[in-house]
Amino acid sequence: MTEICIGKALYDRFKTLNEFSGINYINENNIAYPNVSFEPPQNKRWFELSFLADKPTPASIGKEAQNRWSGIFQIDICTPLAKGIDEANAKYEWIAMLFSRGTCFGDVEINSVYKAKEGAEKDYYRTVVRVEWTADIDN
């Protein structure tokens, strides 16, 4: 197995945000995936997702030992410029609960979630959320 299955698990977990929060934050047109054509919505509300994995290390000794992977799942929350930070903060709070420390799904365990930075871009406001994870998967 490779880190591809870990990335899929994290993307799939993110796609449960509406059900988890009870709020219709995401739809088919407001998620930007890596290397997929994307046109930002007119309302300037979308998410950009990135999956970053480090090189694996052996989780234990032996030929059959699993590989331990670690990395970051980054969620950029994009909101309208000059509208304040309440909307971005509300989305961040729900994402932080969805990926709270100690949460496990499949082989993935969440180590931490935090705002890495935030600020105005040319015509929207970006809040960068990082989810640090580890996973032990078969070699």
Side-chain angles (χ1 to χ4, degrees):
M1 298 180 86
T2 67
E3 72 276 19
I4 294 169
C5 63
I6 300 167
K8 181 177 179 345
L10 288 160
Y11 289 123
D12 288 348
R13 176 79 173 181
F14 176 77
K15 290 189 276 186
T16 69
L17 182 62
N18 289 354
E19 181 182 339
F20 183 80
S21 68
I23 302 167
N24 193 25
Y25 285 134
I26 59 176
N27 62 55
E28 61 190 46
N29 299 317
N30 73 347
I31 301 176
Y33 294 99
N35 201 30
V36 175
S37 180
F38 179 78
E39 184 70 32
Q42 294 279 337
N43 68 7
K44 303 296 182 197
R45 290 175 172 90
W46 75 92
F47 300 94
E48 293 181 14
L49 305 181
S50 303
F51 173 76
L52 308 160
D54 201 356
K55 66 180 182 177
T57 58
S60 63
I61 298 173
K63 184 178 178 181
E64 300 300 318
Q66 291 185 312
N67 285 327
R68 176 160 295 145
W69 292 83
S70 62
I72 294 171
F73 181 55
Q74 183 167 300
I75 304 162
D76 292 14
I77 302 168
C78 301
T79 55
L81 195 57
K83 298 289 185 182
I85 60 172
D86 290 346
E87 178 182 341
N89 283 342
K91 291 175 180 178
Y92 166 67
E93 289 292 329
W94 281 110
I95 290 169
M97 286 187 280
L98 181 66
F99 291 100
S100 63
R101 181 173 43 88
T103 300
C104 295
F105 46 94
D107 297 313
V108 180
E109 181 175 355
I110 303 304
N111 300 322
S112 66
V113 59
Y114 56 92
K115 262 197 251 188
K117 69 177 195 168
E118 58 187 329
E121 300 287 334
K122 182 179 176 182
D123 62 348
Y124 62 93
Y125 192 82
R126 179 185 303 270
T127 302
V128 178
V129 178
R130 294 201 175 132
V131 178
E132 294 183 359
W133 54 267
T134 55
D136 292 348
I137 59 174
D138 292 338
N139 185 4

